[in-house]
Amino acid sequence: MTGHEQEEPVAPHTTDAGTDVPHTAGTETSPKEAREDRPQRPAAAGGAGPAEQEDGAEVNTGTTIEKAGVPEAAIPELVIISGMSGAGRSTAAKCLEDLGWFVVDNLPPALIPTMVELGARSQGNVARIAVVVDVRGRRFFDNLRESLADLETKHVTRRIVFLESSDDALVRRFEGVRRPHPLQGDGRIVDGIAAERELLRELRGDADLVIDTSSLNVHELRAKMDAQFAGEEEPELRATVMSFGFKYGLPVDADLVVDMRFLPNPHWVPELRQYTGLNEEVAAYVFNQPGAKEFLDRYAELLQLIQTGYRREGKRYVTIAVGCTGGKHRSVAMSEKLAARLVSEGVETVVVHRDMGRE
């Protein structure tokens, strides 16, 4: 295993990031769509022809997985970790390394298929590979798209994990560690962030798992990665049900958003105001309101339809954001009930109360 990039803290300051209440595991995603135009594979990625090392020794990179006759069952699982600088790529990579993954930091994308091939020929010694790719390689995206297309033709199971964060959080982190942004040049940190966000736009859209670390500390990010990758068997679908407060902004990593503000607010009931939706009295108050139980039943039915479509399209992660005014009462109570319903239907689910405790 190789070393990781310089220390990249998820949150150098203590935040009130909410509470994770795991039912099993989960978080959200976007399925990878097939590309119509796939450029030819470069020699370093498994194409025909030898490549030369700097010392002049010839290295044959022309043997592909198919040519080598490696059985498909021996092909290692691949995770590509990318995202915004300062959003926690190093933490995510170290977490996978602790879980037994073979982690390679800043590998040139053209060499990813070759890395997978070597893993396939390791007789099971390298069954899971994680590769960190980022803007330190500058003009690497053409090669990355090329390599991803090559991996698809070889039936490699691969996932893209994208670490996202708000501009404000990224600025605080770079200022906290007194480091320049890799793309800011002679400009400001915000200029580098804007340039990187534009460069990564397409990759973010292709990501299978997007994790927003804006309000997460290192331990909370590790918990999310553990929830996704610690299990021995890959479930059909994993879900995150996230409560939030609209007054604190929409979750940027949400796939589905529902609004609980049509229900009366327990905040205006003096004996309930100090409690949260985890309290039995608050939950009973919420679900005794007209429309609450009906909403839960009908939305659960809608999610059954959506689950079927997600599985059919190969989408394995979904984040359902449930909002109310402050993210303390109604959204928390509904999130708990909705998560329990999903678990009863065989969906591995984690509950995140993003804004609970901020008031």
Side-chain angles (χ1 to χ4, degrees):
M1 303 184 186
T2 67
H4 297 285
E5 62 187 284
Q6 293 183 357
E7 184 60 27
E8 185 181 279
V10 177
H13 58 289
T14 302
T15 61
D16 191 359
T19 304
D20 285 359
V21 185
H23 283 268
T24 357
T27 281
E28 100 315 334
T29 65
S30 301
K32 171 74 174 68
E33 298 181 359
R35 302 182 182 280
E36 296 180 2
D37 297 319
R38 292 177 179 169
Q40 282 190 329
R41 191 167 65 238
E52 285 192 357
Q53 294 180 333
E54 291 181 2
D55 59 3
E58 192 174 86
V59 179
N60 186 2
T61 60
T63 302
T64 64
I65 292 176
E66 296 90 339
K67 291 180 181 179
V70 177
E72 187 170 324
I75 300 174
E77 182 180 358
L78 174 67
V79 167
I80 297 173
I81 300 174
S82 190
M84 299 296 294
S85 299
R89 292 187 308 255
S90 291
T91 298
K94 290 174 183 176
C95 181
L96 290 185
E97 191 172 60
D98 292 342
L99 292 173
W101 289 67
F102 188 91
V103 179
V104 184
D105 189 15
N106 206 25
L107 181 72
L111 296 180
I112 293 177
T114 303
M115 188 73 228
V116 173
E117 178 192 334
L118 293 174
R121 298 167 64 182
S122 70
Q123 300 180 343
N125 292 322
V126 182
R128 298 183 297 176
I129 298 174
V131 177
V132 182
V133 294
D134 52 60
V135 295
R136 287 176 294 167
R138 298 302 192 271
R139 298 173 57 187
F140 73 94
F141 281 101
D142 287 341
N143 286 337
L144 179 58
R145 288 191 291 268
E146 200 170 291
S147 295
L148 293 179
D150 186 26
L151 293 170
E152 287 185 7
T153 65
K154 297 175 180 177
H155 307 291
V156 176
T157 299
R158 66 109 184 105
R159 285 173 285 176
I160 298 175
V161 177
F162 191 95
L163 282 300
E164 174 67 274
S165 195
S166 68
D167 289 1
D168 289 344
L170 293 175
V171 169
R172 287 197 304 270
R173 292 169 191 173
F174 277 105
E175 290 180 343
V177 295
R178 300 180 182 274
R179 290 172 51 198
H181 188 280
L183 294 185
Q184 76 179 75
D186 296 329
R188 302 176 299 164
I189 292 176
V190 291
D191 298 326
I193 292 172
E196 183 179 34
R197 202 176 293 282
E198 181 61 30
L199 184 63
L200 293 171
R201 187 179 304 279
E202 184 175 351
L203 182 62
R204 187 190 190 283
D206 288 342
D208 298 283
L209 173 63
V210 177
I211 301 178
D212 178 22
T213 68
S214 301
S215 60
L216 301 182
N217 59 36
V218 172
H219 305 294
E220 290 165 334
L221 175 55
R222 291 186 66 92
K224 282 183 173 288
M225 293 295 294
D226 284 341
Q228 295 302 318
F229 296 100
E232 294 182 359
E233 296 183 0
E234 183 69 18
E236 289 189 355
L237 182 67
R238 283 174 170 166
T240 292
V241 180
M242 177 189 297
S243 69
F244 74 96
F246 278 96
K247 70 179 183 179
Y248 300 114
L250 290 171
V252 299
D253 51 350
D255 294 301
L256 305 169
V257 178
V258 292
D259 187 353
M260 294 296 102
R261 291 178 294 183
F262 72 92
L263 299 173
N265 192 347
H267 175 81
W268 302 115
V269 181
E271 58 269 27
L272 298 179
R273 180 178 301 175
Q274 63 179 317
Y275 300 110
T276 71
L278 298 177
N279 177 271
E280 292 183 2
E281 287 77 12
V282 173
Y285 175 86
V286 170
F287 282 96
N288 283 332
Q289 301 304 319
K293 294 178 181 178
E294 292 82 357
F295 173 85
L296 176 62
D297 291 338
R298 294 183 185 181
Y299 194 65
E301 291 177 1
L302 178 62
L303 289 179
Q304 287 181 338
L305 177 64
I306 294 174
Q307 291 169 38
T308 301
Y310 278 178
R311 291 187 174 106
R312 184 174 58 247
E313 295 299 316
K315 184 177 175 70
R316 289 178 289 183
Y317 308 94
V318 61
T319 294
I320 304 162
V322 182
C324 63
T325 303
K328 179 179 179 181
H329 296 112
R330 294 164 290 181
S331 62
V332 171
M334 185 62 71
S335 293
E336 290 289 325
K337 291 288 188 181
L338 186 58
R341 186 74 63 91
L342 290 172
V343 170
S344 70
E345 295 170 358
V347 179
E348 292 196 16
T349 307
V350 63
V351 180
V352 178
H353 298 306
R354 191 192 73 174
D355 298 323
M356 191 173 68
R358 296 185 68 170
E359 291 187 344

